[in-house]
Amino acid sequence: MMIYRNVQILWVFCLLLNFLEVSGQSNTNVEKPNILLIFTDDQGYHDVSYYGTKDIRTPHIDGIRSDGMRMDFFYTNSPVCAPTRASLMSGRYPDQVGVPGLIRSIPDNNWGYLDPGTVLLPALLNKAGYHTAHIGKWNLGLEKPNLPNDHGFDLFQGWLEDMMDDYWTHRRHGRNYMRLNEEIIDPEGHATDLFTQWSVEYIKSRKESKDPFFLYLAYNAPHFPVQPPEEWLKKVKDRESGIQDTRAELVAFIEHMDNGIGEVIQALKESGQYENTLIIFTSDNGGHLPSSANNGSIRDGKQSMYEGGLRVPTVISWPGVIEPGSVSEQVNLSMDIFPTLADIAGVKLEHGVNGRSFLPTLMGQIMEEKERPLYFVRREGGTRYGGKAYHALRLGDWKLLQNNPYQPMELYNLKEDPKEENNVIEQNQKTYQKLNALLMSHIQEGGKTPWQKLK
């Protein structure tokens, strides 16, 4: 074990020295890893078979886990999709880039507008000579200047809006948001299959290139409506005796997506690119309970500031660097991926971010770091939320949250109470005041960025 870690640390150290020598130069041919970032939508914390969930089989996600590191305390920046995607792409808290809530095509129900000046991950990686592609769901803007190509993606082939009303017809409110770069397209087939096919084609197209690639593959699945192909649903029902229909549909939906992930990884192997590809698999928020998602033993699910709304299945592989079968209990967030990939690509950050790199953890090192307050936000409309925001803040083992803008604050000690069953705010007023002061400072900082388009 120690020999393996020493070798991998030395290898990455030498690699990073090469990166530093060329940082600031574009189109270099210094060998850097390709990056495949797989982002799913509403996947439950335990809706993977590597956690021992008995009614689901995800062999290809499990394969990433076997070849790499399982991260058991990986959080999203929000319990819903657009804010988390804003943090993933920017390395910053979502309200600091103008996306505290969902970006939607209906103005009366839109709760975010990405600050057009925000530096996103593809623009950063362009500086390191990466060719960048986004296939799948965007959800960070429906028009210029916030289309994927406006923010550094060399190729965009996918879906601009939030959800699809149907995975076969690809419409939202009767409108088509499927694009090839900025061109409207209307392909036939299940959206999961299309995103898989386009990813395979992209990977094969990069086989002969001397430049590394960054592929951001963002499936809409398993976001509702839950629509697995019939043959996948039949397979699950035949195998899982007595499974409820709603759960069977979700399991089949995820297994169909997992099969697509397997095809993408197989394309890497067949093209000889797997050994030099870093693969990150994660999701945008916790599982949707009305769809029978499995979030394990933690509380609640999507839309919630309890653990079930924020913790997601996350595995990362990098042949020759990350120890196969390793496990990390380090607390990381979606926004930490940005500075981590900057480190790996050898790009010096010239602007401030809220995330921090966890590259040493991937290399098997112990990271010595101070406690950092972790902030979560979501703004939403309707009668339940009224256009207001609600928040959570974690500091060490303590977590302060408001699960609805009309509900009182709650305080939990996650070490003693991981299921968040005992609200101890009355008994710990000093801790509450400390965390609440930190929370208010984050809310004030987010308030500096408009989240509606200025005319």
Side-chain angles (χ1 to χ4, degrees):
M1 182 79 70
M2 185 60 66
I3 293 174
Y4 182 93
R5 286 185 176 173
N6 287 342
V7 170
Q8 67 182 157
I9 290 168
L10 179 61
W11 185 87
V12 174
F13 178 73
C14 293
L15 189 64
L16 290 178
L17 282 179
N18 281 334
F19 290 166
L20 290 173
E21 289 176 5
V22 297
S23 92
Q25 299 179 22
S26 60
N27 299 319
T28 68
N29 290 327
V30 173
E31 187 171 2
K32 304 174 184 181
N34 301 312
I35 300 167
L36 170 60
L37 172 55
I38 303 171
F39 209 54
T40 65
D41 201 334
D42 294 2
Q43 187 161 353
Y45 181 50
H46 275 210
D47 271 330
V48 284
S49 51
Y50 68 71
Y51 273 129
T53 307
K54 294 183 178 180
D55 64 356
I56 194 168
R57 297 180 183 178
T58 55
H60 304 293
I61 298 171
D62 293 2
I64 305 172
R65 186 269 172 276
S66 298
D67 287 352
M69 179 178 288
R70 187 185 84 205
M71 309 200 86
D72 288 342
F73 289 87
F74 201 94
Y75 286 78
T76 63
N77 280 83
S78 178
V80 291
C81 54
T84 295
R85 290 162 200 271
S87 291
L88 176 75
M89 287 290 107
S90 71
R92 299 170 64 188
Y93 286 115
D95 51 359
Q96 290 191 22
V97 296
V99 192
L102 290 181
I103 294 175
R104 296 190 177 102
S105 55
I106 298 178
D108 290 349
N109 199 28
N110 175 71
W111 305 99
Y113 179 73
L114 179 67
D115 179 353
T118 305
V119 177
L120 298 192
L121 191 52
L124 183 83
L125 293 176
N126 285 155
K127 295 181 179 179
Y130 277 77
H131 189 274
T132 57
H134 175 27
I135 293 173
K137 175 176 170 177
W138 174 239
N139 198 208
L140 290 178
L142 300 166
E143 59 186 18
K144 283 184 165 298
N146 281 334
L147 297 176
N149 301 112
D150 298 329
H151 284 274
F153 279 111
D154 298 306
L155 170 69
F156 172 60
Q157 197 165 8
W159 180 256
L160 288 178
E161 231 266 19
D162 172 21
M163 61 175 283
M164 294 180 184
D165 293 330
D166 187 284
Y167 278 78
W168 298 97
T169 60
H170 326 129
R171 296 291 188 274
R172 179 62 169 155
H173 305 304
R175 301 188 188 113
N176 180 5
Y177 291 99
M178 200 72 88
R179 301 286 188 273
L180 173 57
N181 295 321
E182 296 179 23
E183 176 189 353
I184 298 174
I185 57 174
D186 197 8
E188 294 183 359
H190 194 285
T192 298
D193 292 330
L194 290 172
F195 297 161
T196 296
Q197 173 193 333
W198 296 339
S199 296
V200 168
E201 291 171 353
Y202 175 76
I203 288 169
K204 290 180 177 179
S205 76
R206 303 304 301 168
K207 179 180 178 180
E208 303 301 329
S209 176
K210 294 181 180 180
D211 297 324
F213 68 76
F214 167 57
L215 171 56
Y216 172 37
L217 168 55
Y219 286 106
N220 280 62
H223 192 293
F224 62 87
V226 179
Q227 294 178 309
E230 189 58 39
E231 63 270 23
W232 285 89
L233 180 58
K234 183 179 185 302
K235 184 188 301 185
V236 170
K237 287 191 170 183
D238 288 347
R239 186 187 73 218
E240 303 295 334
S241 177
I243 190 171
Q244 295 182 345
D245 287 347
T246 303
R247 177 62 181 168
E249 289 169 356
L250 184 66
V251 168
F253 206 25
I254 293 171
E255 290 187 358
H256 172 232
M257 180 184 67
D258 177 78
N259 185 72
I261 291 171
E263 292 181 22
V264 173
I265 293 174
Q266 186 60 28
L268 287 171
K269 293 178 177 178
E270 290 178 355
S271 62
Q273 299 179 92
Y274 179 78
E275 294 301 320
N276 190 40
T277 299
L278 166 72
I279 302 175
I280 301 174
F281 167 88
T282 187
S283 190
D284 63 351
N285 50 252
H288 184 237
L289 295 183
S291 298
S292 294
N294 185 341
N295 292 318
S297 62
I298 54 179
R299 182 174 177 179
D300 219 338
K302 176 180 179 175
Q303 302 188 52
S304 170
M305 289 295 177
Y306 297 115
E307 293 288 280
L310 297 170
R311 271 167 63 185
V312 289
T314 302
V315 287
I316 305 176
S317 67
W318 187 2
V321 180
I322 297 177
E323 182 182 346
S326 54
V327 177
S328 173
E329 294 188 351
Q330 182 182 45
V331 176
N332 293 300
L333 276 77
S334 304
M335 69 182 183
D336 295 330
I337 289 175
F338 184 100
T340 302
L341 294 183
D343 268 0
I344 290 170
V347 182
K348 182 179 180 180
L349 293 179
E350 298 176 350
H351 67 286
V353 297
N354 303 112
R356 62 96 180 90
S357 172
F358 56 88
L359 176 58
T361 298
L362 298 181
M363 296 164 56
Q365 298 176 340
I366 296 175
M367 286 179 59
E368 299 292 340
E369 55 181 338
K370 297 179 181 179
E371 279 189 340
R372 55 174 181 154
L374 303 175
Y375 166 70
F376 308 90
V377 60
R378 187 236 181 151
R379 184 178 292 277
E380 186 54 276
T383 56
R384 182 178 177 185
Y385 301 103
K388 302 178 186 297
Y390 59 108
H391 309 85
L393 186 132
R394 175 172 174 165
L395 181 67
D397 294 326
W398 290 101
K399 182 178 172 189
L400 179 69
L401 68 88
Q402 182 185 36
N403 204 38
N404 181 298
Y406 302 106
Q407 293 178 355
M409 289 288 191
E410 302 172 28
L411 181 68
Y412 298 93
N413 186 302
L414 295 177
K415 184 176 181 180
E416 298 175 359
D417 181 22
K419 296 183 181 180
E420 297 170 296
E421 295 175 324
N422 303 303
N423 177 13
V424 293
I425 195 167
E426 293 299 328
Q427 303 95 307
N428 295 274
Q429 283 293 299
K430 287 187 177 179
T431 300
Y432 159 62
Q433 291 168 9
K434 178 181 178 180
L435 267 65
N436 191 54
L438 291 169
L439 176 60
M440 288 190 295
S441 69
H442 278 289
I443 293 171
Q444 288 177 325
E445 189 65 28
K448 297 176 182 178
T449 305
W451 47 270
Q452 291 290 316
K453 185 176 181 179
L454 299 177
K455 295 182 179 180

